Amino acid sequence: MMGKCSKSLMAFPILLHTLCFLLFPQPLLSQENHFVRQPAGQLIITPHQRYNSDPQQVHISLMGKENMSVSWITEDKHTKSVVEYGTKSGEYSAKATGEHTSYQYFFYNSGRIHNVVIGPLQPSTTYFYRCGGSGPEFSFKTPPPKLPIEFVIVGDLGQTEWTASTLKHVDSSDYDMFLLPGDLSYADSQQPLWDSFGRLVEPYASKRPWMVTEGNHEIEIFPIIYPQGFKAYNARWTMPFQQSGSTSNLYYSFEVAGTHIIMLGSYTDFDAQSQQYTWLQSDLTNIDRVKTPWVIALLHAPWYNTNEAHQGEGESMRQAMEELLYNARVDLVFAGHVHAYERFTRIYDNKADLCGPMYVTIGDGGNSEGLALKFKNPPSPLSLYREPSFGHGRLRILNETHAHWSWHRNNDTDAVIADGIWIESLSSSKACSKTPDQRDHAAKEEL
């Protein structure tokens, strides 16, 4: 039998999102640009249209240097967790077996969630694969072994008409890896929306690795019954946390093509006594900037923000962890949460600092709540570009010293490049190669 969505379970979220859409019945005109800014898009429900034994919601994630984790769901509880794969379509020279799990959330019972790690794989190579022994063939391309590499970065994705537009624009130009700093499905405890989201992103997440961290919409806590939260997120989106020495799927790191990427958790403990803080200290200490000259961090709640929305929500985490990132010379920090785009200069402790990270808010993927339209005025000199529009970003790291960042606004059928900047790695900066104490000492000697 073909799988079917539960209409009764879906009715409530559809009504909620329709109400939100009706609150913004007219397009909004930008005060800073001469184009029409659209309201939040309508919710898209992506139904299950395959056999119950066939894979659905297929997505892949990097799992160590030469391996890939393949995840999918079947309604059939007896389907085996097996992936067949090879470098020729229809010819599978290798086979791997993995694990499966499932979860219950009130009256909702998930399908069988499969996770299989395949490899070792060759870099910059297209692999064809089949999940569970039946259903369609998928393919993916592994990341390159060294620079250059291109990342797509977008947060607060959701599953609206604007989400579909963002993903279409992303797919129009090739890239190597998708980075998502939190707020994936906007299920908000309505579990069928997790399934719908998985089906919506499958055409993209099955062919390039998606590396994600959690946002506030993944928490899904219910007092007493589900006090820990992240039940669906942890079951559905398993990241390589153990490979980086982390004890939690909510924060981890990985390396790819000369880049060390840190995925931090805004919604788990982060103070100086926390496990995440201790892990981050160790992770940063072990970075080899000769091997990985670029270091990037992603988190959900921004540490710097001139939008009126979510003011100060990342401040306690900034106070706890900013010095660690600064001393380690992290190049860029990407955040979501605020439904707009904003790019800052290099900052440390609320002041411009050439040796601090460049901060970018990219929470504009297509969420169901609409855009955060109001920025604080007068603008801060630290904020160099800000705009409440849907879109996505691309970070192309060309070599050990230079990268290019661009932000692509969704504008009708085209993705318009609205902002772009060349970036020099801090590892190549002689001025920033010294520790803060050494720089202070040198400055005193100059005086």
Side-chain angles (χ1 to χ4, degrees):
M1 293 178 62
M2 300 293 286
K4 296 181 180 179
C5 288
S6 170
K7 294 183 179 179
S8 60
L9 287 172
M10 286 296 186
F12 183 60
I14 291 173
L15 289 173
L16 281 179
H17 288 86
T18 301
L19 179 60
C20 292
F21 179 75
L22 291 174
L23 292 176
F24 302 94
Q26 299 296 325
L28 301 164
L29 185 63
S30 168
Q31 296 179 352
E32 299 177 0
N33 301 281
H34 298 291
F35 67 93
V36 174
R37 179 173 294 117
Q38 298 296 329
Q42 290 182 315
L43 180 70
I44 293 176
I45 301 298
T46 307
H48 177 25
Q49 295 179 328
R50 297 176 188 153
Y51 291 100
N52 285 345
S53 60
D54 286 348
Q56 57 162 310
Q57 307 177 48
V58 179
H59 62 268
I60 62 171
S61 300
L62 204 64
M63 193 65 62
K65 296 179 181 179
E66 299 178 327
N67 299 315
M68 200 75 72
S69 173
V70 182
S71 301
W72 75 96
I73 295 179
T74 57
E75 294 299 325
D76 187 340
K77 305 295 185 180
H78 303 289
T79 303
K80 294 182 178 180
S81 302
V82 174
V83 173
E84 302 163 283
Y85 61 100
T87 56
K88 293 183 179 180
S89 177
E91 298 182 19
Y92 310 121
S93 57
K95 182 178 180 180
T97 302
E99 301 175 344
H100 60 81
T101 187
S102 62
Y103 71 94
Q104 181 177 1
Y105 194 91
F106 290 101
F107 300 110
Y108 172 89
N109 291 288
S110 76
R112 175 174 279 199
I113 304 170
H114 306 263
N115 285 286
V116 178
V117 177
I118 63 174
L121 306 173
Q122 295 298 313
S124 300
T125 302
T126 298
Y127 285 87
F128 300 87
Y129 66 105
R130 185 172 64 173
C131 304
S134 66
E137 179 182 77
F138 300 91
S139 67
F140 66 81
K141 184 180 180 181
T142 53
K146 58 183 180 179
L147 299 172
I149 187 172
E150 183 162 330
F151 301 96
V152 163
I153 306 175
V154 58
D156 300 70
L157 197 56
Q159 44 190 314
T160 68
E161 293 170 333
W162 281 113
T163 307
S165 175
T166 298
L167 292 173
K168 181 180 178 182
H169 293 323
V170 165
D171 200 45
S172 66
S173 182
D174 198 16
Y175 62 98
D176 299 298
M177 183 174 289
F178 194 105
L179 305 178
L180 204 167
D183 281 1
L184 283 69
S185 70
Y186 283 78
D188 293 325
S189 297
Q190 301 166 76
Q191 297 304 304
L193 288 180
W194 275 109
D195 295 312
S196 176
F197 174 79
R199 291 187 285 263
L200 175 66
V201 304
E202 181 191 83
Y204 314 95
S206 62
K207 68 180 183 179
R208 292 293 183 275
W210 278 39
M211 311 304 290
V212 306
T213 189
E214 84 280 4
N216 55 301
H217 287 276
E218 276 75 65
I219 298 175
E220 298 184 319
I221 281 178
F222 195 89
I224 301 176
I225 302 175
Y226 300 112
Q228 302 302 319
F230 305 106
K231 193 176 185 70
Y233 173 78
N234 284 333
R236 294 170 181 268
W237 291 85
T238 302
M239 294 291 115
F241 68 95
Q242 293 173 320
Q243 284 79 357
S244 62
S246 170
T247 59
S248 171
N249 193 48
L250 303 180
Y251 53 89
Y252 62 97
S253 69
F254 64 97
E255 293 183 351
V256 58
T259 310
H260 187 91
I261 300 177
I262 304 166
M263 310 293 276
L264 294 174
S266 295
Y267 301 96
T268 186
D269 292 343
F270 46 69
D271 59 74
Q273 289 72 45
S274 68
Q275 290 183 340
Q276 180 175 197
Y277 186 96
T278 301
W279 167 83
L280 179 60
Q281 278 185 311
S282 176
D283 188 76
L284 292 171
T285 301
N286 291 324
I287 296 174
D288 181 352
R289 294 304 282 264
V290 175
K291 180 181 178 183
T292 54
W294 290 89
V295 180
I296 302 168
L298 288 88
L299 47 88
H300 190 61
W303 293 357
Y304 292 97
N305 170 31
T306 72
N307 197 288
E308 291 186 4
H310 302 300
Q311 269 296 314
E313 292 185 18
E315 179 63 14
S316 57
M317 189 180 188
R318 182 194 72 81
Q319 291 181 8
M321 291 184 160
E322 184 181 28
E323 186 175 3
L324 294 180
L325 300 192
Y326 177 73
N327 289 340
R329 298 293 184 258
V330 171
D331 293 286
L332 301 106
V333 177
F334 293 96
H337 202 37
V338 176
H339 299 163
Y341 171 71
E342 185 167 20
R343 174 174 60 83
F344 292 85
T345 188
R346 293 190 176 278
I347 305 174
Y348 175 60
D349 196 20
N350 287 291
K351 297 183 289 291
D353 191 310
L354 292 177
C355 298
M358 186 182 93
Y359 287 84
V360 178
T361 300
I362 189 87
D364 55 356
N367 67 86
S368 58
E369 299 173 336
L371 293 163
L373 296 171
K374 295 183 179 180
F375 285 96
K376 297 172 68 175
N377 282 307
S380 166
L382 301 176
S383 178
L384 303 182
Y385 190 101
R386 55 187 194 172
E387 180 178 312
S389 298
F390 293 113
H392 75 277
R394 287 176 180 260
L395 179 66
R396 180 165 179 78
I397 303 179
L398 277 77
N399 52 41
E400 291 79 5
T401 60
H402 288 84
H404 186 261
W405 166 255
S406 58
W407 177 64
H408 303 242
R409 179 200 304 135
N410 292 358
N411 189 13
D412 296 327
T413 58
D414 300 317
V416 177
I417 301 177
D419 182 37
I421 185 174
W422 284 97
I423 308 161
E424 183 179 351
S425 65
L426 294 180
S427 64
S428 66
S429 169
K430 292 183 179 180
C432 298
S433 62
K434 300 176 181 178
T435 67
D437 289 341
Q438 288 173 331
R439 289 195 294 116
D440 290 343
H441 181 71
K444 289 178 182 179
E445 287 186 342
E446 290 178 1
L447 294 174

